[in-house]
Amino acid sequence: MRTSELARAAGTTPRAVRHYHRLGLLAEPARSANGYRDYSLKDLARLMRIRWLAENGLPLGSVATVLTEKQSTTGADDLRDDLHALISSCEREIAVLELKRQRLTRLLDSAVQSEELTALPADLVAAFDAMRSEARCEAEIRTLDRERDLLEVLAISSELPDQVFTWFAQMLSAADTRVAYRRLIKAWGKLEGQRVVDAGEQIDLAASELAGHLRTSFPFETAFSAADYDTIGGLRLDECVPDVAQRQAVLRTLEILSPHPESVIS
């Protein structure tokens, strides 16, 4: 077989064949009387093996190790390390694709039901809709809408764990906790627009009530890092809570809940 015929049979190009020659992966056969290289079936098998290993992600250095009849200890160790790394990479890609498949499946279900397409779990959306239908004033509706928008932003842009959304859905669905939540958002709304120096008592009261509500059931440690209390799910606190008085209430709540209050950024 000539170079072009070998390349075609292996599903590659003559340029790739010459590249493997330069790397020492594929020996150059002697030229025939007419000046052309004459490749054998053995050469084709080796070339296809090179291609098979490379297409599975093995670095060409490790391909050389695989094709060497007598492998050194170091070469064998490097080969095993490369294979472990490739398998780990595949597992990460599989996990990402599985998560994407689950999200697309949920979106398809919503589309089939002519429902709003959202990153939030269906039970949390239903709970917010129920709360909104029971809202007693525009301020409460605004607070609920803002809370839902924040949760959706966190769901899309951060690594906030699923337990947080599950907790919200359960809290909004249960009659007793829904009453407590309505009381909290009412106090929260009253803080908006106030100066911190004028609202110290209200901030402390709102923070104490919120901390008491969260302490027993909220997956606190999974949502906040003790070393970095100025972020929520990867977003800066000032991005999540732009109002200064409300933000101070959040910081005060985190201070109450934290086992290391000195780590809370104020």
Side-chain angles (χ1 to χ4, degrees), residues 119-149:
L120 296 177
D123 55 347
L124 181 54
V125 172
F128 265 116
D129 288 344
M131 281 285 291
R132 203 177 188 281
S133 67
E134 298 170 2
R136 298 166 184 169
C137 63
E138 286 298 320
E140 187 175 340
I141 291 175
R142 285 198 305 273
T143 303
L144 284 168
D145 289 345
R146 189 178 303 150
E147 191 98 321
R148 176 175 165 165
D149 286 342

Side-chain angles (χ1 to χ4, degrees), residues 57-59 61-62 77-87:
L58 209 64
S62 290
D77 288 343
D78 289 343
L79 172 61
R80 283 192 289 269
D81 288 343
D82 285 336
L83 290 170
H84 279 303
L86 288 168
I87 291 169

Side-chain angles (χ1 to χ4, degrees), residues 35-53:
Y36 290 107
R37 292 191 178 93
D38 189 14
Y39 294 92
S40 66
L41 179 61
K42 184 176 181 179
D43 294 319
L44 175 61
R46 185 178 178 90
L47 175 58
M48 294 187 73
R49 194 174 183 203
I50 293 169
R51 296 277 298 159
W52 172 67
L53 291 168

Side-chain angles (χ1 to χ4, degrees), residues 13 29 37 47 55 57 71 109 123 127 139 144 156 159 165 167 172 230 233 245 259:
T13 63
R37 292 191 178 93
L47 175 58
E55 287 172 358
Q71 299 179 7
D109 291 342
D123 55 347
L144 284 168
I156 294 171
E159 298 179 356
F165 303 105
W167 176 84
L172 294 179
D230 63 341

Side-chain angles (χ1 to χ4, degrees), residues 143-210:
T143 303
L144 284 168
D145 289 345
R146 189 178 303 150
E147 191 98 321
R148 176 175 165 165
D149 286 342
L150 172 58
L151 286 173
E152 181 143 28
V153 167
L154 292 172
I156 294 171
S157 66
S158 77
E159 298 179 356
L160 204 62
D162 291 342
Q163 300 97 298
V164 175
F165 303 105
T166 300
W167 176 84
F168 262 100
Q170 292 172 345
M171 186 264 297
L172 294 179
S173 299
D176 54 342
T177 51
R178 191 163 63 242
V179 170
Y181 180 72
R182 179 170 283 114
R183 186 170 62 250
L184 283 170
I185 63 174
K186 184 177 181 181
W188 183 260
K190 288 182 178 179
L191 286 174
E192 188 172 6
Q194 293 200 50
R195 298 194 308 167
V196 173
V197 293
D198 299 330
E201 186 175 349
Q202 286 179 270
I203 288 171
D204 285 342
L205 286 172
S208 296
E209 187 167 0
L210 180 56

Side-chain angles (χ1 to χ4, degrees), residues 62 64-77 79-80:
S62 290
T65 300
V66 173
L67 297 176
T68 300
E69 292 184 4
K70 295 182 179 179
Q71 299 179 7
S72 67
T73 301
T74 301
D77 288 343
L79 172 61
R80 283 192 289 269

Side-chain angles (χ1 to χ4, degrees), residues 146 188 191-194 238 240-248:
R146 189 178 303 150
W188 183 260
L191 286 174
E192 188 172 6
Q194 293 200 50
D238 61 346
C240 299
V241 188
D243 184 83
V244 178
Q246 291 176 340
R247 188 161 65 248
Q248 191 61 37

